[in-house]
Amino acid sequence: MAPEWRAAAAVPAAVLCQGRIPTVDLSAPAGRGELSRQMVRACTERGIFKAVNHGVPPRATARLDAATAAFFARAAPEKQLAGPPDPLGYGSRSIGTNGDVGELEYLILHTNPDAVAHKAKAIDWKDPARFSEVVNEYVEVVRQLACQVLELLGEGLGLSDPTSLSRLITAIDSDSLIRINHYPPSRCTAGDQLKSGGGASIGFGEHTDPQILSVLHANDVDGLQVLLHDVAAGEDVWIQVPPDPSAFFINVGDVLQALTNGTLVSIRHRVMASTNRPRLSTIYFAAPPLHARITALPQTVTAGAPRRYRPFTWAEYKKAMYTLRLSDNRLDLFHIGDGDGAVAGGDDADHE
């Protein structure tokens, strides 16, 4: 089976371009139909877009930013009381269990309010209820935003039930997470700069997000880069994404790529650590329940577009994910070889 992704070493690290990330106005100035088509186009061609006029109250993001910045400002021994990550909790530098590292520290929380309350006791021991309230408020508004996006994508894709995607993340046993990353100013050497092709070291290495959808909010420090194909140059290049604290950056995850039979693209991205200022980012990873069966939606499988991935559960995908390095293409493990894919109908009829 030919891999869907070339080796990371073949990707040019030093070519950086500005722009090329679509902006989607969620106030729908041209109507809902045009908004859904624009969103599908962005997720098909780029796998990511910047959402503006999204309706998320600035107070919700400001309160979470303040609470998490206060936590990261504490002495290391105090922060370590909230770790090590299992995978929830506090971690620093080490990413996962397979040797991946980055120039960051982070908090990972399950979005279930009981799970938040449990971890809050080690994060804000003076007033854990205060921290839980801030996190739960933020989770609620970004979940609503993610549902809005998924339902618009469902409409744009012509699904018979446009809510079938959003229901996966509103289920009471959804496995959604929230991750807060803090990137201190980089201490990279001249040699590190040469290797990374810029003036910073790797904050978080190249990867795709495994879940359905990722909703990113960050401060005004740059660092996010996405890998896109440059038709004119005939190669893949890293695109620097200009920061915008008033917007959300929304990208497709592996599960959504599988659900749409490869129509929507799980974008590869990375974060470069700034040499001057700390970067604070919060990502809501919208995920299905562990038992959810992931298989291509019937409307996305045709004679001309046979099934690309064999069905799997989210639990099965997570188990496979933990065996791989950050930069590996997890979907390769579930790819169907040429001539083996089924057409519309088949065993997708009961995917819900």
Side-chain angles (χ1 to χ4, degrees), residues 258-269:
L259 285 166
T260 61
N261 202 34
T263 301
L264 306 185
V265 181
S266 182
I267 184 72
R268 296 185 73 84
H269 53 287

Side-chain angles (χ1 to χ4, degrees), residues 265-286:
V265 181
S266 182
I267 184 72
R268 296 185 73 84
H269 53 287
R270 69 183 184 184
V271 175
M272 307 302 290
S274 170
T275 56
N276 300 313
R277 300 169 56 209
R279 173 181 167 89
L280 184 67
S281 65
T282 301
I283 311 98
Y284 169 72
F285 293 113

Side-chain angles (χ1 to χ4, degrees), residues 209-294:
D209 292 336
Q211 294 88 353
I212 296 176
L213 201 72
S214 301
V215 181
L216 164 72
H217 164 72
N219 63 3
D220 60 350
V221 177
D222 62 15
L224 176 63
Q225 298 176 359
V226 297
L227 192 65
L228 298 177
H229 187 69
D230 188 317
V231 176
E235 62 181 359
D236 295 326
V237 297
W238 286 107
I239 305 299
Q240 184 78 45
V241 180
D244 186 346
S246 68
F248 283 88
F249 291 90
I250 299 177
N251 65 272
V252 175
D254 296 348
V255 167
L256 187 53
Q257 178 169 320
L259 285 166
T260 61
N261 202 34
T263 301
L264 306 185
V265 181
S266 182
I267 184 72
R268 296 185 73 84
H269 53 287
R270 69 183 184 184
V271 175
M272 307 302 290
S274 170
T275 56
N276 300 313
R277 300 169 56 209
R279 173 181 167 89
L280 184 67
S281 65
T282 301
I283 311 98
Y284 169 72
F285 293 113
L290 289 170
H291 60 79
R293 184 168 177 265
I294 308 303

Side-chain angles (χ1 to χ4, degrees), residues 37-61:
R37 287 188 290 272
Q38 182 183 8
M39 197 174 287
V40 168
R41 189 161 56 246
C43 291
T44 300
E45 297 175 357
R46 292 292 183 256
I48 186 172
F49 64 89
K50 182 169 80 169
V52 298
N53 296 323
H54 42 71
V56 173
R59 175 178 178 271
T61 56

Side-chain angles (χ1 to χ4, degrees), residues 13 15 21 34 42 78 87-89 138 148 165 170 223 228 251 259 267 312 342:
V15 181
I21 303 302
E34 176 56 29
E78 295 181 3
L88 305 178
Y138 183 84
Q148 179 186 6
L165 295 174
T170 57
L228 298 177
N251 65 272
L259 285 166
I267 184 72
F312 54 86

Side-chain angles (χ1 to χ4, degrees), residues 176-222:
S176 298
L177 302 175
I178 185 170
R179 178 179 182 123
I180 305 102
N181 292 328
H182 174 242
Y183 300 88
S186 171
R187 301 182 300 274
C188 66
T189 65
D192 294 330
Q193 294 177 17
L194 183 61
K195 291 177 184 177
S196 66
S201 57
I202 298 291
F204 203 110
E206 67 170 275
H207 64 286
T208 60
D209 292 336
Q211 294 88 353
I212 296 176
L213 201 72
S214 301
V215 181
L216 164 72
H217 164 72
N219 63 3
D220 60 350
V221 177
D222 62 15

Side-chain angles (χ1 to χ4, degrees), residues 27 52 119 124 129 163 249 341:
S27 68
V52 298
K119 279 295 180 183
D124 186 352
T163 68
F249 291 90

